[in-house]
Amino acid sequence: MKLQRLTKRVALLATTFLAIGTMAIQNVAAQNAYWVMLTDKTGSTFDPTTYFDTKALERYAQCGANPADISNFPVSENYVDGVAQIATDTIGQSRWLNAVAVTATKAQAEAIAALPYVSHLLPIADAPAVLATYNNSEANEETGNNPKLTDQLVRMQGQNFRDHNIDGRGVRIAVFDGGFPRVNTHAAFRHLRDEGRIIKTWNFCNRCENVYGWNSHGTMTLSCIAGREGERDLGLATGAEFLLARTEVELEPAKEEVWWMQAMEWADRNGAQVISSSLGYGKERYFTRDMDGTSLVARAANMAARKGILVCNSAGNEATDRQWTTIITPSDADSVLCVGGIEHDLNHYRHISFSSFGPSADGRQKPNVVAFGHARTANTTGDESYHYVDGTSFSCPLVAGFAACAIQAMPGKSAMQMMDEIQRSADLYPYCDYAFGYGVPQASYFTSTAKPTEPTFRFVEVGTDSVMMAVYKPVSNTTVFYRYIKPDGTLSHYGSCEIEHSAEDQGLIFAKASVFNRTLEVHLDGYTAQYRLPAEEQQRYINSSFWYEPDSPKGVTSTMQLARNGASANKTSKWGGQSKYRYDIYLQYGMMPNTMSDELTVTFADAGRVGFRLLTALSKTYCLGFGLEYGHSEYALTTDHAAPFEWLVVPTPTSRRLKLNEWSLELFQRVRLAPGGQLSGRGIHWDLGLYGSLTTDNYVIKWQPDGLPYASEERTYKDLSSLGQHRINYGLTTRFGYSILAVYARYRLNTLIQKPTSPDVALPRLEVGLQLNF
């Protein structure tokens, strides 16, 4: 009876815990962040001559934009005050959006939406920005042997800029990041400090000027723009001026996009001509279908371009995530120079493994250009320390420094004109694909030292069913790039391969059937040409219905892949770890504590389970789901203390085991407490749920036959209904895990076996173990 009362108390406690957990989850979900979009700017006044830095006014005049545009007028203070009186907290405001960012409960949000000067509310996602860095201190030494430039600059022909005294002088660059520790003391930036070229700083997270602390990511990205190691340059824009903005902090994920947008307006006000942002917002906040240039930060980046600012942004490090099929925002904006990464190799073209692939979700060409995703930077462990790091976080500032030099070399261009010139300078142009964009920007384009393009190959018919890309002159670069262009301008497939040597009369053979209703474009050593089927051959394939998807060229090893275009990006976004619908396939192994009662003693118990769960994401942090599971558990009973089974008359047993097979249905909720888990998207997560199960049983007894000391016999009883065994059981489940691993607990609320003469047989109720997700 005591055991029965204890069980009821535990069941009541577990049920209360479930209810409290549910209410806590609902309460957390209720406190959301919103952009409150306002209808107008009534009562606001604005004088651009006193608001803007003179360099900003010069930029506006140069690009033909109006500094007195309504987007630059301040947000109405009366409107801001009215919203603040209702909201829980005010995060910030944006002139360009005519909006104020707040945190509010659902009831507060409804009250704010009802205000006459509020247009609508937009939710702000609450996961941290991408600040991914891969330390690579064991990397190979530099191979370019340039005493003044690191390989990361040699690859962009940085010496051409130096030979023409181009170092970004007079160009103002804003850098957005999570902090800039030691920039005020490190030797890599002494020239910036000595010449007073760090013009302004602002810490949006702490609302102060000090940015020289926190995340070292910003120190490393600034190194790639303007750093020096002794006499060698780490970045090309060593003569530029700088604005440093801290916009990221992991503890305030919902506010980071607000601060990024405020930093954009701050950079505009203080005369930035280039913005370098090695930040982005992707799978932790959005679905792949959202990467179509419509996020608020993408819209702000497009507005900056219209105001004459060239925005450079990293493509992201999501290539190894099979469920994320595109870049991150704001690099998806059409006016942003999206920068991908390549391996640190001066002689070969290889995509670096983590760099995100394009296109944007709506099928636009991304990335635009690429640079080394492996870089030499200042190390914040000391003021004279340097190291190698990996990430598209460093491709972006390398190109931002290049852009500052390009602006110095070719002044008077608008942001979009300069973006186009940088694309044209790239070494694959006019070829482009979703891995390399237009290639690596080249300084010779801006110093008038670029060599004229000469044909390196021609297309030759091979029989009636193939076409050969035939090399007819020696080439210095033996990498062949090819792509298949659909009628709408997007790519169906693309790839690259190496030809064995640079001799003439080599070639790659492509099947004509793979070019049906497509254009084949090939690039080799600076020359690009296209092949289309003649009209009569197009008709031949239409009539015969003999055509197929493109394949790799014959006789070579190729990196060809299916282009993940906008349609497929939208399709993929529905399922997977980062998507609206998610699933877990899992294995569990758990153990149960030993129990003892007047009726029964359990000396050991364990369970193995396999199952499938389906979840639907109500937000990026909260899911509801159900699961189906098969489990097998075994209870080892003492041979002399198993009263419920005494009626099973056999010789003296050597072991007794109760084996249960169980089919379970679970309903649960999942809260993702922190992002993470590159392949799964689960991050740090907590599940809480209820289950019901249908159980079948086997009772197995072993004993030693008389006169046979080394033998054993076994008998199995498959129906224990006479013992009062419950076929249907129910209980609580909970899990706490990260990515593919989790610790789980399962508590059965009902009695498993109940005899009429004894209300409770003490089989363990609690099961605790480990779970592996696939």
Side-chain angles (χ1 to χ4, degrees):
M1 294 299 291
K2 290 181 179 179
L3 183 61
Q4 186 180 25
R5 287 195 297 270
L6 178 61
T7 299
K8 289 181 178 179
R9 289 174 182 172
V10 172
L12 179 61
L13 180 64
T15 305
T16 304
F17 173 70
L18 179 62
I20 292 173
T22 302
M23 289 187 291
I25 291 170
Q26 291 173 345
N27 185 58
V28 169
Q31 283 287 346
N32 290 321
Y34 301 93
W35 276 112
V36 181
M37 313 302 289
L38 305 174
T39 57
D40 56 70
K41 294 186 174 182
T42 300
S44 296
T45 58
F46 178 65
D47 181 3
T49 59
T50 58
Y51 175 78
F52 284 114
D53 183 276
T54 54
K55 204 167 187 71
L57 293 173
E58 291 172 2
R59 190 195 69 237
Y60 269 90
Q62 178 180 300
C63 70
N66 180 11
D69 183 79
I70 189 63
S71 64
N72 291 331
F73 276 61
V75 179
S76 170
E77 287 302 321
N78 291 333
Y79 294 174
V80 173
D81 291 342
V83 171
Q85 289 176 7
I86 300 174
T88 301
D89 183 33
T90 301
I91 302 172
Q93 51 187 273
S94 168
R95 294 181 177 220
W96 291 1
L97 296 179
N98 190 25
V100 55
V102 302
T103 55
T105 64
K106 183 178 180 181
Q108 289 171 334
E110 291 174 351
I112 292 171
L115 294 172
Y117 46 81
V118 172
S119 170
H120 59 284
L121 272 62
L122 292 175
I124 302 173
D126 58 351
V130 174
L131 277 167
T133 302
Y134 307 95
N135 291 322
N136 196 355
S137 57
E138 302 300 322
N140 296 330
E141 294 295 321
E142 302 280 310
T143 59
N145 299 319
N146 188 310
K148 297 294 185 181
L149 300 177
T150 49
D151 283 0
Q152 59 214 45
L153 307 184
V154 171
R155 184 63 181 81
M156 297 188 289
Q157 297 181 334
Q159 191 60 49
N160 286 61
F161 280 145
R162 293 297 180 259
D163 291 344
H164 290 77
N165 297 316
I166 296 172
D167 60 1
R169 190 161 301 275
V171 179
R172 190 167 292 181
I173 304 173
V175 185
F176 301 170
D177 223 296
F180 302 88
R182 292 189 184 268
V183 167
N184 55 337
T185 61
H186 201 289
F189 311 106
R190 183 179 294 119
H191 57 295
L192 300 184
R193 299 191 301 269
D194 291 348
E195 298 175 23
R197 287 191 280 111
I198 298 179
I199 306 302
K200 281 193 176 183
T201 62
W202 190 252
N203 186 330
F204 286 87
C205 311
N206 294 4
R207 301 182 183 181
C208 65
E209 290 186 349
N210 179 24
V211 298
Y212 301 120
W214 300 278
N215 197 309
S216 62
H217 192 263
T219 303
M220 294 184 284
T221 59
L222 183 60
S223 299
C224 293
I225 303 175
R228 282 181 175 162
E229 182 180 5
E231 295 298 315
R232 300 181 82 199
D233 292 342
L234 304 175
L236 288 173
T238 54
E241 302 172 350
F242 289 91
L243 305 169
L244 305 182
R246 179 176 179 244
T247 63
E248 311 299 321
V249 52
E250 277 194 48
L251 297 178
E252 298 286 355
K255 300 179 180 180
E256 289 178 335
E257 284 191 61
V258 178
W259 293 331
W260 194 93
M261 296 184 68
Q262 289 182 310
M264 186 72 73
E265 297 178 21
W266 174 81
D268 172 46
R269 178 180 185 178
N270 290 290
Q273 295 159 274
V274 177
I275 288 174
S276 177
S277 170
S278 292
L279 307 167
Y281 312 94
K283 62 186 179 184
E284 311 302 354
R285 302 184 187 214
Y286 296 101
F287 299 115
T288 52
R289 63 176 178 270
D290 300 323
M291 301 294 100
D292 59 356
T294 59
S295 73
L296 290 183
V297 288
R299 287 162 55 184
N302 285 339
M303 291 185 71
R306 291 198 294 271
K307 296 172 187 290
I309 305 173
L310 177 61
V311 181
C312 303
N313 208 93
S314 298
N317 299 329
E318 277 64 46
T320 56
D321 188 338
R322 292 169 295 177
Q323 296 169 350
W324 187 262
T325 58
T326 184
I327 51 174
I328 56 178
T329 195
S331 61
D332 60 334
D334 61 5
S335 302
V336 167
L337 190 65
C338 172
V339 186
I342 59 171
E343 290 280 2
H344 56 293
D345 190 329
L346 294 177
N347 301 313
H348 299 90
Y349 234 117
R350 292 199 302 271
H351 175 268
I352 202 163
S353 61
F354 48 76
S355 181
S356 295
F357 292 99
S360 63
D362 56 341
R364 284 175 292 108
Q365 171 60 47
K366 295 289 177 175
N368 300 95
V369 294
V370 292
F372 275 10
H374 168 87
R376 180 82 170 166
T377 74
N379 190 344
T380 56
T381 58
D383 287 341
E384 301 285 342
S385 179
Y386 298 84
H387 63 165
Y388 289 96
V389 288
D390 290 347
T392 57
S393 288
F394 311 111
S395 311
C396 171
L398 287 172
V399 170
F402 181 97
C405 294
I407 291 172
Q408 181 188 357
M410 195 177 287
K413 300 286 186 181
S414 69
M416 294 307 295
Q417 288 171 335
M418 183 51 63
M419 178 174 166
D420 182 61
E421 295 293 348
I422 291 172
Q423 290 180 155
R424 288 175 177 273
S425 79
D427 54 7
L428 298 183
Y429 187 88
Y431 174 91
C432 64
D433 62 33
Y434 300 148
F436 302 110
Y438 289 99
V440 180
Q442 301 293 288
S444 60
Y445 178 89
F446 294 95
T447 59
S448 301
T449 57
K451 297 179 180 179
T453 299
E454 296 183 1
T456 56
F457 66 90
R458 60 180 178 268
F459 289 108
V460 178
E461 302 278 336
V462 180
T464 58
D465 296 322
S466 299
V467 61
M468 179 179 182
M469 180 224 99
V471 179
Y472 65 82
K473 62 171 288 186
V475 293
S476 58
N477 190 326
T478 58
T479 304
V480 178
F481 300 85
Y482 59 91
R483 61 177 184 160
Y484 292 88
I485 308 171
K486 297 189 294 186
D488 63 359
T490 60
L491 308 186
S492 65
H493 298 73
Y494 60 94
S496 62
C497 59
E498 294 287 329
I499 54 177
E500 293 182 2
H501 52 83
S502 61
E504 299 178 31
D505 299 325
Q506 287 194 93
L508 304 180
I509 298 176
F510 298 85
K512 286 185 178 180
S514 67
V515 192
F516 170 71
N517 205 30
R518 297 178 180 89
T519 299
L520 171 65
E521 184 172 277
V522 179
H523 176 96
L524 173 64
D525 200 24
Y527 177 68
T528 301
Q530 294 184 339
Y531 176 82
R532 297 181 182 88
L533 284 176
E536 61 275 12
E537 294 202 44
Q538 290 273 12
Q539 190 61 45
R540 175 165 69 94
Y541 286 112
I542 292 174
N543 294 339
S544 67
S545 298
F546 176 69
W547 59 275
Y548 50 81
E549 288 296 299
D551 198 357
S552 299
K554 298 176 182 178
V556 296
T557 300
S558 170
T559 62
M560 193 186 82
Q561 60 183 302
L562 173 69
R564 292 169 286 190
N565 57 28
S568 65
N570 280 318
K571 181 178 180 181
T572 336
S573 69
K574 295 179 181 179
W575 290 91
Q578 312 297 344
S579 308
K580 181 173 178 59
Y581 302 106
R582 311 174 184 182
Y583 59 89
D584 291 343
I585 299 173
Y586 63 90
L587 294 175
Q588 290 179 342
Y589 176 76
M591 300 180 69
M592 292 160 272
N594 298 345
T595 59
M596 182 174 181
S597 69
D598 294 339
E599 295 280 338
L600 186 70
T601 297
V602 178
T603 58
F604 179 79
D606 64 353
R609 303 180 185 278
V610 60
F612 171 85
R613 299 190 188 100
L614 179 66
L615 302 90
T616 180
L618 303 185
S619 72
K620 275 287 184 177
T621 57
Y622 183 67
C623 301
L624 292 176
F626 74 92
L628 296 174
E629 175 185 276
Y630 168 75
H632 177 81
S633 55
E634 294 194 12
Y635 303 83
L637 314 178
T638 57
T639 58
D640 57 353
H641 193 197
F645 308 102
E646 289 177 351
W647 62 277
L648 301 171
V649 180
V650 297
T652 302
T654 56
S655 71
R656 302 172 184 257
R657 301 184 72 85
L658 179 63
K659 299 183 179 183
L660 301 180
N661 297 309
E662 189 174 19
W663 290 95
S664 302
L665 172 66
E666 178 191 21
L667 301 176
F668 68 97
Q669 53 193 343
R670 171 171 296 177
V671 178
R672 190 169 62 167
L673 304 174
Q678 184 75 1
L679 296 179
S680 68
R682 298 180 187 91
I684 299 175
H685 59 279
W686 174 49
D687 294 355
L688 187 63
L690 297 166
Y691 78 90
S693 66
L694 179 65
T695 305
T696 61
D697 51 64
N698 293 295
Y699 180 56
V700 180
I701 302 176
K702 289 186 178 181
W703 69 91
Q704 181 180 311
D706 294 337
L708 297 174
Y710 300 106
S712 66
E713 292 190 14
E714 178 177 298
R715 183 177 299 169
T716 300
Y717 299 87
K718 294 188 176 182
D719 184 9
L720 302 182
S721 57
S722 60
L723 298 180
Q725 191 232 335
H726 288 195
R727 298 292 186 183
I728 298 177
N729 302 288
Y730 56 91
L732 302 174
T733 59
T734 187
R735 290 172 292 275
F736 185 82
Y738 174 74
S739 188
I740 64 172
L741 293 176
V743 176
Y744 79 92
R746 179 183 176 100
Y747 187 81
R748 178 169 41 79
L749 292 175
N750 69 300
T751 300
L752 188 61
I753 295 179
Q754 184 172 340
K755 290 178 61 180
T757 58
S758 177
D760 190 7
V761 174
L763 290 174
R765 292 175 177 266
L766 178 65
E767 176 186 326
V768 178
L770 294 176
Q771 174 178 291
L772 177 64
N773 299 298
F774 299 95

